[in-house]
Amino acid sequence: MRVTKTIKDYVTRMVEEIYSEPTEEEKVYSALKEAISAEVDRLNEKFKPMIKEEIKAFNAIHGLDKRTGGIRLRDSYICIYDAYDLGSTTEIGQKAQEAARARRIKINEAIENIILTLELGGNKADLDRMLNELKENK
């Protein structure tokens, strides 16, 4: 069978769908990132109002306001943020990266094998059989 761009796109889409489920390592990593993000949001909500009040109090004590100087607050500068550098610096991030890389390699190898089989004379039945085997042997 001659493999056209349409067939390659179909094979790629089907194989990626088969391997779309994240690995356990990737799920753990994502859960940690979500927990960090939620905690950052909580801390920002908790401390920003306190910081604003402290600035107002300082300016009031010294008779300062926006026109005369004093301390000003830009919300974008005063915030707690997450580094999201977990991937390269933590064991959990490294495991997630390795698992994602291994999954990507499996996807690429499966696509190459299917396309090669089709190029060497495979047909629609061979394509369906190979896709079903991938589903069964994830």
Side-chain angles (χ1 to χ4, degrees), residues 2-36:
R2 183 171 170 273
V3 179
T4 64
K5 181 175 179 351
T6 304
I7 294 172
K8 285 181 184 177
D9 290 345
Y10 173 77
V11 168
T12 300
R13 190 174 64 249
M14 295 304 293
V15 171
E16 286 178 348
E17 185 179 305
I18 290 169
Y19 287 107
S20 65
E21 182 70 25
T23 62
E24 195 58 39
E25 293 86 355
E26 291 172 294
K27 290 177 185 176
V28 169
Y29 177 69
S30 292
L32 178 60
K33 281 177 58 175
E34 288 174 18
I36 289 171

Side-chain angles (χ1 to χ4, degrees), residues 29 32-41 43-44 79-90 97:
Y29 177 69
L32 178 60
K33 281 177 58 175
E34 288 174 18
I36 289 171
S37 183
E39 183 64 8
V40 165
D41 291 343
L43 291 172
N44 277 316
C79 76
I80 299 166
Y81 62 94
D82 46 22
Y84 281 115
D85 200 12
L86 298 171
S88 60
T89 60
T90 63
Q97 284 180 343

Side-chain angles (χ1 to χ4, degrees), residues 54-127:
E54 289 292 323
I55 290 171
K56 281 183 189 177
F58 177 85
N59 286 342
I61 289 169
H62 297 285
L64 302 170
D65 61 22
K66 289 182 180 177
R67 292 176 291 122
T68 59
I71 300 175
R72 296 182 187 169
L73 174 68
R74 283 195 180 148
D75 284 337
S76 61
Y77 291 153
I78 297 185
C79 76
I80 299 166
Y81 62 94
D82 46 22
Y84 281 115
D85 200 12
L86 298 171
S88 60
T89 60
T90 63
E91 183 179 342
I92 211 169
Q94 290 169 351
K95 285 182 180 180
Q97 284 180 343
E98 290 170 16
R101 192 173 15 260
R103 188 162 51 99
R104 176 49 52 194
I105 289 170
K106 275 185 182 179
I107 289 170
N108 290 341
E109 287 175 352
I111 291 169
E112 288 174 10
N113 287 339
I114 291 171
I115 290 174
L116 181 62
T117 299
L118 295 176
E119 288 281 352
L120 294 174
N123 56 27
K124 174 82 167 113
D126 293 328
L127 172 61

